[in-house]
Amino acid sequence: MQPTDRSTPALRWLLPALAWAAGVLGMVAAWLAVSLALRSPAGWLAVVAAADLALMLRLAATPPGRARALAATVGTAVAVLASYWIYAASLMGMTLGLRPMESALRMGPVLAGELLRHATTGWDLAWALLALPLAWRLAR
């Protein structure tokens, strides 16, 4: 067996995993920047997150099928939840003089839920719910 044949199974999952992580973290960073600039939760970015995750997994040569679709859907859900959490934390942190990540680590789920309940509209939630099947469809 050649050395390149042994390394192939390890690289088969490594590049898609790194692409998934880069897609989620990059989308959360972009979402936070847009949300703070617009001073709104910017729920429409959930659709952008779905397209971004599907594209990242395709570019990483993840084999098509249910596994790639599930990875894109889960990544979209993680990006949406993390973005909303950090947006709520940044709202709270600004009033207390904390950075967004310091505030995110200190904030509990009840406070985050209340802040998001007052900051989001029905459209923000509709965009998030639309993004999940879109991620599945685009990644298949």
Side-chain angles (χ1 to χ4, degrees), residues 114-130:
E114 282 299 311
L115 289 171
L116 289 175
R117 187 172 65 89
H118 292 292
T120 58
T121 64
W123 286 108
D124 295 319
L125 299 176
W127 285 116
L129 291 176
L130 175 69

Side-chain angles (χ1 to χ4, degrees), residues 15-27 53 56-57:
L15 186 59
L18 290 174
W20 185 87
V24 170
L25 294 175
M27 196 60 223
L53 262 293
M56 290 294 286
L57 290 173

Side-chain angles (χ1 to χ4, degrees), residues 27 31 43-52 76 80 126-128 130-131 134 138:
M27 196 60 223
W31 196 324
W44 53 271
L45 283 170
V47 175
V48 176
D52 178 51
T76 301
V80 167
W127 285 116
L130 175 69
L134 181 67
L138 290 176

Side-chain angles (χ1 to χ4, degrees), residues 59-70:
L59 290 175
T62 307
R66 289 185 178 181
R68 183 168 73 184
L70 181 64

Side-chain angles (χ1 to χ4, degrees), residues 81-117:
L81 292 174
S83 296
Y84 278 150
W85 183 279
I86 294 176
Y87 175 71
S90 66
L91 289 179
M92 192 66 189
M94 280 191 263
T95 60
L96 297 174
L98 297 173
R99 295 180 184 157
M101 288 311 295
E102 291 173 341
S103 180
L105 294 174
R106 293 180 180 184
M107 188 172 58
V110 175
L111 180 59
E114 282 299 311
L115 289 171
L116 289 175
R117 187 172 65 89

